[in-house]
Amino acid sequence: MNNIDNLYRQVIMEHYKNPRNKGLVDDDNYHTLHLKNPSCGDDIYVQVKFENDKIVDVRHNGTGCSICCSSASVMSELLKGKSIDIANEIIDDFYNVVKGEEPADEERLEEAVVYSGVSKFPARVKCASLAWKAVGAVIAGEKGEFTDE
Ligand code: ZN
């Protein structure tokens, strides 16, 4: 294992053990979406609160593998406080990273770059992307239950 892989693993395990913004709130101002990834068993909820064109809060909760749960935590921290336009760009960049492609702006992804390692494992790409898909769908105005087959 080289140093970069080791560092990336540490970031993932740290977010898995100490997730940020975890736990849902009972508040009608939040948009909630439930997504599942049956191939791994990941099952998560994402909640987003908007104010004007800005994401003012992101919550998540659920069960799943370390890749999925840590990625939800990283996503919540990164997108909170961002404008909707920037959030969409960051989400697109994240998909590039997990597919092993170059993001448009790597700096802006901050810790989310650690998921570049999953590009070699197609099943893991779904795990890493689940929370990001959920938040993307909320931004796009979808609500409810979705299964990522
Ligand atoms: Zn998973």
Side-chain angles (χ1 to χ4, degrees):
M1 195 194 302
N2 66 37
N3 287 336
I4 286 284
D5 281 347
N6 198 18
L7 174 71
Y8 284 5
R9 192 161 308 205
Q10 277 174 25
V11 170
I12 290 168
M13 287 318 289
E14 208 279 314
H15 275 272
Y16 181 58
K17 286 180 186 154
N18 304 298
R20 322 296 197 273
N21 307 303
K22 187 162 184 181
L24 303 182
V25 291
D26 187 10
D27 182 337
D28 287 344
N29 294 310
Y30 284 75
H31 300 262
T32 305
L33 196 129
H34 183 201
L35 263 188
K36 289 182 194 171
N37 171 20
S39 59
C40 175
D42 304 318
D43 185 325
I44 61 161
Y45 287 84
V46 167
Q47 281 188 319
V48 187
K49 186 182 180 186
F50 300 102
E51 258 173 42
N52 302 317
D53 293 333
K54 204 168 158 192
I55 294 172
V56 292
D57 198 15
V58 182
R59 312 287 313 169
H60 63 96
N61 205 4
T63 53
C65 64
S66 58
I67 299 282
C68 176
C69 293
S70 64
S71 180
S73 171
V74 169
M75 177 279 290
S76 69
E77 209 170 45
L78 191 56
L79 298 188
K80 200 167 161 175
K82 297 287 194 297
S83 73
I84 288 171
D85 287 346
I86 297 292
N88 275 324
E89 288 178 24
I90 292 174
I91 293 166
D92 284 346
D93 260 356
F94 182 78
Y95 293 152
N96 287 334
V97 162
V98 295
K99 282 186 287 186
E101 293 164 13
E102 284 295 313
D105 188 341
E106 192 174 319
E107 291 271 293
R108 201 165 56 183
L109 282 174
E110 299 178 18
E111 285 183 328
V113 297
V114 302
Y115 296 95
S116 59
V118 303
S119 61
K120 294 167 228 147
F121 311 98
R124 289 303 193 185
V125 172
K126 281 188 177 182
C127 299
S129 308
L130 195 65
W132 298 75
K133 273 189 191 153
V135 78
V138 171
I139 291 171
E142 299 176 55
K143 283 169 77 176
E145 306 260 341
F146 291 90
T147 301
D148 181 30
E149 304 274 13

